[in-house]
Amino acid sequence: MLRATLKSLLARKLRLILSTLAVVLSVMFVSGSLVLTDTLGRTFDNVFSNIYSYTDVQVSAKSETADAASGNSSAILPVPASDVARIEKIDGVRKATGSVFVSGARVIGKNGKVVISQSGQFGGSWTGEDELTKLISGRAPSAPDEIVINNGLAKQAKFAVGDPVDIIARAEARKTYKVVGIMQYAGNRDSMAGETTVLFTEATAQQVMLGETDVFNVIDVKGKDGVTDNQLRDNIKAALGPKYTVQTGDELSKASSEAIRGLLKYFNYFFLGFGTIALLVGVFLILNTFSIIVSQRTQELALLRAMGASRWQIIRSVLIEALLIGTVGSLFGFLVGMGLGAAGASAFTSLAKMDSAGLGLPVAAIVTSFTIGILVTMISAVLPAIKAARVAPIAAMRDAATTDKPLTGITIGGGVVTAVGVGSLSWGLAGAGDATLLLVFGGVLLTLIGVALLAPLISRPLVAGLGSVFSWSVPGKLGRRNSSRNPRRTAITAGAVMVGIAIITMISTIFSSLSTAIGESVEKDLQADLIVYGQQTSDVPPIIQPDELKQIKALPQLQTVASVTYDVVSLNGKQDFVLAYDDVPAVITVLKLHPVAGRIDHIDSGEFTVDEKTAKERKYTVGSTIQVTFAKGQTKTLTLVGITNSTSNGNGVVVSNTDAQAGFTFPQPIQALVKAKDGVAVDDAKAAVEGVLKNNPEVSVQTKKELVGSSQQQFDVALVIVQVLLFIALGISVLGVINTLLLSVIERTRELGMLRAIGLRRRQTWSMVTIESVVITLFGTVLGLVVGAGLGAATVTALKSVIGFGAVTLPWGYMIAYIIGAVIVGAVAGLIPAIRAVRLNVLNAIAYE
Amino acid sequence: MTTTVTTGQAVAARAVDVWKVYGSGEAQVIALHGVSVELERGQFTAIMGPSGSGKSTLMHTLAGLDSVTRGEIFIGDTRLTGMSDGDLTNLRRTKVGFIFQQFNLLPTLTAEENILLPLSIAGRKADPKWYETVIDTVGLRDRLKHRPSQLSGGQQQRVACARALVSRPEVIFADEPTGNLDSRSGAEVLSFLRNSVREYGQTIVMVTHDPNAASYADRVIFLADGQVVDELLAPSADAVLDKLKGLDAKVESAADASQAG
Ligand SMILES: Nc1ncnc2c1ncn2[C@@H]1O[C@H](COP(=O)(O)OP(=O)(O)OP(=O)(O)O)[C@@H](O)[C@H]1O
Ligand SMILES: [Mg+2]
């Protein structure tokens, strides 16, 4: 029995390759993303263990607003310099060194632009050479304008000792410094993870990075010999009290890499999402292939049955075939995925200028790849296997004419599954708390499967309709008839295409609705002609320097200039985002705000305003109070004085400028909304503002139209990325089309021979097969477009209450492109089968076996 | 509609010293050993012979479905040898009709569409009068809208016959057209073929194993080991059977001789 299985497997090489390829492509995504995240994870682990390898214990101030998940906070809480002496007196401490080391030192390169680094732009105090850092040229900084930079920065921006360098520091406007030294880390590293680092003298660092004198942000503590890090930590903790964070080097390195791993997890989810889609499409393909295999082998199977093989043996033989295909497919899928993951990781590390930890063989990736690959293949083969077992021995004596089975069962099943799917989706979208994501995901999945089950029924009229386009020629007519010959097979092949297209269309629908909504709401709600802001590239937002703002306000071309700043605070114990305006009346004009309750025209210290929707959600009324702990540590009780209408731009809690200046990490304006005077051309106003900002490479001016364009562009870019990834899933479904057609061509060998014998030309044969392919692909695409647009529209409508947009914009451009693409892809998919059909030897075709 | 039958005057298809060799070396099979035959217009010719004697091969080469190793094939005045696939396809469209043992109808098309298929492939219209005649002769008028799966084997083969006839080809080639039919349906198909020869001057070449079927023909050609070994005009079933027995004996003794050597 096993031998028979193996033989029949090898006898159908092409089929073997195609179905294996489906498994390979599906598994590839999964293993690729696991390998990628594993490699990156270990790379980051290495980085952090390097950074903290010489740290015994580190002391810093505890932040109230710190993000518990990431352990990061943009707020830097200083510790007074006097703490250093205090710590040195603690039992077990050999030495305590206070230092400044925070992000937000933006170096301006020789091209006038900020030197970009994804890993951070750090500024700190020079604490002398030690185990970790050493100067490779120049000397230590001694004057206020002298700096040491890391060799990575020196290489990246081509700075040498003696060069003047402009820096926008965290707490200081752009200023020119002089490079006096270049340093490296232990192990000849130019940087730890591709970051840029500028080290000032201690006093300058305190001034420009922390904005205060006689403070540090971390104190490094070295223990006496014989004192363990943990002991040391406990001693210091006990001595300093709860206002300090005291961590050992190990703890720090672990916390940092866990934070990164937390982020990588989302990265992983993203790719695994595509892997799931690919798998889903793969299931269709594998199921289809096995169904065809079984129906092709009907006589062979019947013969086996007639010779005494039991049903279970038949099932087993199909499942063994699936097991083999699954194993081989998983193996190759895993290998290809590993290659892709490694390529991705090396692209990432070289972009980020990090030392890659090298390719590992994560056990999780191996186990997951093989489990998923084999399981999915076997599960997909179960139905065909059962079908195979149902073959009656008598079928061996009959011509294996497959009679059209009624579609009632499958249609009812499809209807039920679709209904459950849509139900779950609408339940999820209506908001079901923690279960939302699961319900939405499950709903989309079930809907797709349900529609796929309904597809055989739909295929009859739809395929006839689509096909009639081609009916003007005889091959066209024949091709169309062929495609509706076996509704189940056509439907399942098209079903795979449908899943891919549906998901792409759904996402494009959501994106284009979002994009339009943003465009419209900016258009509607924003009275400003110009918006001044910068793209945030690190945890430090680009800042409009106060004197720049002053100069802008003084420009004669402008009527109103309102600046906005925001920060993360702890609001009633929860992290939240609050806004502050320097000029409330100006903002009210520009954002078209009006009072809904109370007064909104000014906000004093200890007061706040909020928009209507937020107020409703949180049940605030005028007079409500909230507890806000600002980034810099102080806690205040604020009273609600007024409620505004909700707009698309500035919703949420707005605190007074006074409180913001005292408590925000960056109280400087982050955004400015500008209205030109009547009669002043927008471009002239823009040029004037640009003149003021010419020394600030981070911040730029955009007109309202440009703002809409650039925010929509971001969606377009994201959409393109998503589409590219989904095209791989679509590729799998194209394999399905090729597979189905190839098998059809083989099945209809005799028919093709007869047609050629009675005068069908090669070219006509070609178009017949191609049209069948195009019709099947188009059917799947049209189905996918309808389902996808429906799912997308449902999502958009459901999100109306959450995000505040509800108008569905169908991505017509994309949808038409998908249809054109389907025709092309269909023709290409038909290529191999068509070649095969054309090459068919007429004689072999009509000779019967 | 009748045409004057000019028996022995014009040749519908002709093979001149045709050799057909399959494979090479050890596996070489010589299917045709210098066969020369002339198939006269308006005649019903049967080709008979033991299994493997080269009947199908001869017919395929005559129909332009297969190339010859040596020799020449003509259909009417057209020389087939060396023609391109496109030209051969054209020739098959206009001058050749086929009837297969397996019927070979397209399951997606109705009987009527199947009948008209060769014409629609060639982009031609049927001559309505001729079409009506064909339909009536095969007796399928009430079955035209049916699919092959709704027809019996005999009816399917009659559809196949009508399909071959409707384009009025120079020659119709039929490889064991009654091989899959019971004797009654077989007789129907055969008398229908004979009628189309007698009444409409159609040329038909038929390969068969059945002496009874051969007795419908005007002439029987006997093949053995890839050579024409005998011929019979206006055959009766008994006469054919006798010849065949003689042939079998010859083949057996030849086989014995080759085994002994
Ligand atoms: N494609 C081929 N390759 C190799 N040998 C072939 C091929 N086709 C036919 N033959 C050989 O050529 C010889 C003649 O075959 P052919 O099919 O013409 O016989 P036939 O008289 O039609 O037999 P039957 O009555 O069984 O149909 C046989 O020996 C056969 O094995
Ligand atoms: Mg034969």
Side-chain angles (χ1 to χ4, degrees):
Chain A
M1 199 67 199
L2 183 63
R3 258 174 58 105
T5 305
L6 285 175
K7 281 215 157 148
S8 87
L9 200 59
L10 286 174
R12 299 165 167 86
K13 280 198 209 73
L14 194 63
R15 186 183 72 204
L16 194 71
I17 292 171
L18 285 170
S19 35
T20 312
L21 211 55
V23 185
V24 170
L25 289 177
S26 312
V27 169
M28 188 181 84
F29 256 120
V30 176
S31 84
S33 67
L34 289 174
V35 168
L36 176 64
T37 42
D38 170 79
T39 311
L40 292 184
R42 281 180 303 108
T43 303
F44 280 109
D45 285 353
N46 285 357
V47 167
F48 291 118
S49 73
N50 281 331
I51 293 177
Y52 294 112
S53 56
Y54 299 103
T55 304
D56 291 352
V57 167
Q58 203 178 67
V59 179
S60 58
K62 198 173 252 167
S63 164
E64 292 289 329
T65 59
D67 181 342
S70 71
N72 277 338
S73 164
S74 56
I76 303 297
L77 297 181
V79 285
S82 56
D83 279 352
V84 175
R86 236 177 104 197
I87 291 169
E88 276 195 318
K89 290 200 189 82
I90 295 169
D91 201 22
V93 175
R94 177 163 59 88
K95 196 180 151 212
T97 319
S99 66
V100 176
F101 196 82
V102 295
S103 64
R106 283 143 293 172
V107 177
I108 292 145
K110 291 190 168 163
N111 58 0
K113 298 225 166 67
V114 173
V115 179
I116 297 289
S117 162
Q118 304 303 342
S119 316
Q121 301 149 316
F122 293 95
S125 55
W126 175 253
T127 50
E129 288 186 288
D130 52 24
E131 301 99 319
L132 190 62
T133 47
K134 62 173 193 297
L135 283 169
I136 52 165
S137 65
R139 55 169 176 85
S142 53
D145 68 338
E146 289 178 350
I147 54 169
V148 164
I149 60 174
N150 68 323
N151 200 27
L153 171 58
K155 280 183 177 165
Q156 187 181 351
K158 301 198 174 62
F159 288 134
V161 171
D163 282 357
V165 173
D166 275 19
I167 295 169
I168 303 171
R170 196 180 172 93
E172 180 86 18
R174 179 173 179 160
K175 226 168 118 182
T176 309
Y177 300 83
K178 199 172 115 205
V179 179
V180 296
I182 294 173
M183 61 98 173
Q184 247 184 2
Y185 293 102
N188 295 332
R189 283 166 205 281
D190 291 337
S191 72
M192 282 297 180
E195 76 289 349
T196 63
T197 303
V198 180
L199 298 173
F200 308 89
T201 60
E202 189 174 283
T204 310
Q206 291 170 337
Q207 190 58 55
V208 304
M209 294 311 292
L210 301 178
E212 291 176 54
T213 48
D214 273 339
V215 287
F216 299 111
N217 72 305
V218 284
I219 299 172
D220 250 325
V221 184
K222 291 263 187 281
K224 285 190 176 125
D225 287 346
V227 182
T228 67
D229 291 354
N230 286 357
Q231 260 174 332
L232 189 64
R233 178 198 59 198
D234 294 342
N235 288 353
I236 299 172
K237 241 184 192 164
L240 291 180
K243 291 219 154 162
Y244 290 83
T245 306
V246 186
Q247 286 169 300
T248 64
D250 282 352
E251 284 171 342
L252 279 164
S253 130
K254 223 195 213 142
S256 307
S257 58
E258 253 160 35
I260 291 281
R261 277 178 183 265
L263 290 178
L264 285 176
K265 204 169 68 194
Y266 290 101
F267 206 51
N268 207 4
Y269 287 160
F270 181 74
F271 283 110
L272 287 181
F274 289 104
T276 313
I277 295 168
L279 276 173
L280 186 63
V281 177
V283 166
F284 277 87
L285 173 53
I286 298 164
L287 181 72
N288 193 22
T289 311
F290 276 96
S291 308
I292 298 174
I293 292 171
V294 166
S295 68
Q296 274 192 331
R297 274 172 58 191
T298 301
Q299 280 195 320
E300 184 187 325
L301 291 167
L303 199 65
L304 289 171
R305 291 274 284 133
M307 293 186 318
S310 72
R311 294 207 154 172
W312 173 233
Q313 278 177 307
I314 301 281
I315 292 188
R316 218 166 48 193
S317 93
V318 175
L319 289 185
I320 285 174
E321 187 163 344
L323 179 68
L324 288 171
I325 290 180
T327 313
V328 174
S330 305
L331 176 67
F332 282 103
F334 170 72
L335 292 176
V336 175
M338 216 166 89
L340 287 179
S346 91
F348 183 96
T349 46
S350 77
L351 263 176
K353 301 191 186 58
M354 288 163 61
D355 294 335
S356 171
L359 189 60
L361 259 186
V363 178
I366 301 175
V367 172
T368 321
S369 299
F370 279 88
T371 316
I372 288 182
I374 294 174
L375 220 60
V376 161
T377 318
M378 303 267 295
I379 289 173
S380 317
V382 164
L383 280 178
I386 293 173
K387 192 171 134 198
R390 289 227 190 100
V391 170
I394 189 74
M397 323 311 163
R398 285 199 304 246
D399 197 23
T402 39
T403 43
D404 257 359
K405 273 186 282 175
L407 299 173
T408 331
I410 199 173
T411 303
I412 292 173
V416 172
V417 175
T418 312
V420 172
V422 170
S424 147
L425 183 69
S426 27
W427 186 10
L429 289 177
D434 291 341
T436 303
L437 205 62
L438 199 70
L439 283 170
V440 171
F441 241 68
V444 170
L445 198 75
L446 285 178
T447 310
L448 289 175
I449 293 174
V451 174
L453 289 175
L454 288 174
L457 188 77
I458 307 170
S459 81
R460 289 197 170 144
L462 201 57
V463 166
L466 286 172
S468 56
V469 179
F470 302 103
S471 284
W472 45 266
S473 74
V474 178
K477 206 150 100 192
L478 294 173
R480 187 202 73 179
R481 297 256 177 119
N482 281 341
S483 44
S484 49
R485 204 150 156 177
N486 190 335
R488 281 164 193 262
R489 192 188 294 177
T490 302
I492 202 165
T493 312
V497 179
M498 185 263 297
V499 171
I501 293 284
I503 292 172
I504 291 192
T505 311
M506 174 177 165
I507 293 174
S508 330
T509 305
I510 297 174
F511 273 51
S512 72
S513 303
L514 212 66
S515 167
T516 320
I518 283 177
E520 275 174 1
S521 62
V522 167
E523 211 57 63
K524 195 177 85 206
D525 292 340
L526 196 64
Q527 276 286 304
D529 298 314
L530 302 172
I531 299 91
V532 183
Y533 78 107
Q535 281 293 341
Q536 191 160 346
T537 53
S538 67
D539 64 332
V540 180
I543 280 165
I544 307 167
Q545 297 301 337
D547 61 318
E548 287 170 347
L549 186 68
K550 219 176 274 165
Q551 288 176 48
I552 294 173
K553 284 191 170 176
L555 287 172
Q557 292 93 331
L558 310 183
Q559 189 184 42
T560 320
V561 177
S563 81
V564 181
T565 182
Y566 45 79
D567 200 9
V568 175
V569 298
S570 164
L571 195 156
N572 287 345
K574 269 202 223 148
Q575 262 204 28
D576 205 350
F577 200 67
V578 299
L579 295 153
Y581 308 133
D582 70 331
D583 184 348
V584 177
V587 171
I588 287 175
T589 331
V590 179
L591 293 182
K592 287 202 206 165
L593 298 178
H594 58 82
V596 175
R599 63 156 165 89
I600 61 165
D601 54 341
H602 65 277
I603 308 169
D604 294 330
S605 177
E607 296 177 346
F608 76 103
T609 64
V610 77
D611 71 290
E612 199 179 356
K613 212 167 75 196
T614 314
K616 215 184 246 165
E617 269 167 28
R618 304 190 185 171
K619 305 200 172 57
Y620 292 162
T621 50
V622 173
S624 297
T625 56
I626 53 172
Q627 288 277 341
V628 174
T629 306
F630 289 101
K632 284 187 181 159
Q634 66 278 47
T635 302
K636 267 193 118 154
T637 304
L638 306 182
T639 312
L640 182 63
V641 292
I643 298 175
T644 69
N645 53 315
S646 296
T647 68
S648 59
N649 296 295
N651 290 338
V653 170
V654 183
V655 302
S656 70
N657 198 35
T658 323
D659 291 340
Q661 293 303 322
F664 277 16
T665 319
F666 298 102
Q668 301 96 321
I670 295 171
Q671 214 182 60
L673 307 168
V674 177
K675 214 163 137 47
K677 276 210 180 101
D678 286 344
V680 175
V682 174
D683 286 336
D684 294 343
K686 185 184 171 188
V689 177
E690 268 170 349
V692 174
L693 292 170
K694 63 179 183 297
N695 277 330
N696 191 338
E698 284 192 304
V699 176
S700 60
V701 196
Q702 285 190 318
T703 63
K704 193 156 126 182
K705 210 156 140 203
E706 287 166 344
L707 176 74
V708 172
S710 68
S711 52
Q712 286 175 339
Q713 206 181 348
Q714 286 172 23
F715 281 105
D716 289 345
V717 170
L719 188 55
V720 167
I721 294 173
V722 171
Q723 281 174 335
V724 165
L725 287 167
L726 283 172
F727 278 142
I728 297 181
L730 269 180
I732 301 180
S733 63
V734 172
L735 281 182
V737 177
I738 298 177
N739 209 357
T740 297
L741 283 171
L742 257 181
L743 296 163
S744 300
V745 165
I746 296 167
E747 262 179 7
R748 295 180 204 143
T749 300
R750 186 163 346 123
E751 215 174 286
L752 285 165
M754 180 276 290
L755 283 169
R756 294 272 292 125
I758 65 171
L760 197 69
R761 280 179 207 286
R762 289 210 158 122
R763 198 156 30 81
Q764 289 177 309
T765 315
W766 185 288
S767 33
M768 181 175 84
V769 177
T770 304
I771 283 167
E772 180 173 358
S773 172
V774 170
V775 168
I776 293 179
T777 322
L778 261 183
F779 171 52
T781 305
V782 169
L783 214 56
L785 286 177
V786 173
V787 174
L791 290 173
T795 311
V796 170
T797 316
L799 288 180
K800 188 177 190 158
S801 56
V802 186
I803 299 180
F805 70 97
V808 177
T809 313
L810 289 180
W812 289 114
Y814 281 120
M815 288 165 84
I816 291 168
Y818 298 155
I819 289 190
I820 296 171
V823 174
I824 296 169
V825 163
V828 172
L831 218 59
I832 300 176
I835 289 175
R836 193 142 182 166
V838 166
R839 288 239 188 101
L840 215 71
N841 185 326
V842 185
L843 275 178
N844 291 343
I846 53 178
Y848 53 94
E849 283 123 37
Chain B
M1 167 161 186
T2 49
T3 332
T4 353
V5 182
T6 51
T7 319
Q9 307 266 316
V11 175
R14 186 150 61 97
V16 184
D17 190 27
V18 164
W19 288 71
K20 178 72 190 177
V21 182
Y22 288 113
S24 58
E26 289 277 304
Q28 196 181 57
V29 178
I30 303 177
L32 297 177
H33 272 266
V35 173
S36 296
V37 282
E38 295 199 338
L39 303 168
E40 282 154 34
R41 186 160 288 154
Q43 240 190 14
F44 188 0
T45 310
I47 301 177
M48 296 201 76
S51 191
S53 55
K55 304 182 294 290
S56 297
T57 307
L58 175 61
M59 208 184 76
H60 292 153
T61 49
L62 280 170
L65 287 177
D66 205 352
S67 61
V68 298
T69 311
R70 224 170 75 196
E72 289 179 305
I73 302 282
F74 294 88
I75 295 225
D77 299 327
T78 321
R79 184 168 178 271
L80 264 58
T81 332
M83 263 166 101
S84 71
D85 178 77
D87 290 338
L88 281 173
T89 307
N90 259 345
L91 180 104
R92 288 201 297 270
R93 282 182 174 187
T94 50
K95 299 204 166 156
V96 180
F98 289 98
I99 302 169
F100 307 92
Q101 181 178 355
Q102 301 284 327
F103 322 141
N104 279 343
L105 301 180
L106 277 198
T108 51
L109 304 183
T110 62
E112 183 176 27
E113 288 168 325
N114 263 296
I115 293 172
L116 292 173
L117 188 60
L119 289 175
S120 36
I121 284 177
R124 286 191 289 155
K125 281 257 170 312
D127 169 359
K129 246 162 72 196
W130 177 239
Y131 174 71
E132 296 299 320
T133 316
V134 170
I135 297 300
D136 284 332
T137 329
V138 291
L140 282 168
R141 190 164 289 287
D142 53 339
R143 295 288 179 170
L144 285 178
K145 296 290 171 220
H146 289 214
R147 300 264 162 135
S149 57
Q150 298 162 318
L151 298 173
S152 75
Q155 287 166 336
Q156 288 186 49
Q157 193 61 307
R158 280 189 276 151
V159 171
C161 292
R163 181 177 68 190
L165 273 170
V166 79
S167 56
R168 308 184 91 169
E170 192 104 352
V171 205
I172 290 176
F173 293 99
D175 197 349
E176 303 188 40
T178 56
N180 272 4
L181 299 178
D182 64 40
S183 53
R184 224 199 63 175
S185 323
E188 270 173 25
V189 167
L190 285 165
S191 47
F192 162 69
L193 290 178
R194 184 173 56 191
N195 281 349
S196 51
V197 173
R198 298 277 153 82
E199 289 172 32
Y200 312 117
Q202 180 64 55
T203 312
I204 297 179
V205 182
M206 167 178 81
V207 168
T208 182
H209 278 289
D210 177 9
N212 237 335
S215 70
Y216 283 78
D218 302 315
R219 175 190 182 203
V220 184
I221 296 170
F222 294 92
L223 279 187
D225 287 335
Q227 281 169 305
V228 179
V229 289
D230 212 340
E231 165 168 28
L232 207 62
L233 286 174
S236 70
D238 289 338
V240 171
L241 202 56
D242 284 345
K243 284 265 192 246
L244 278 179
K245 277 182 184 153
L247 266 183
D248 279 347
K250 255 191 246 168
V251 170
E252 261 161 39
S253 63
D256 289 347
S258 74
Q259 250 169 23

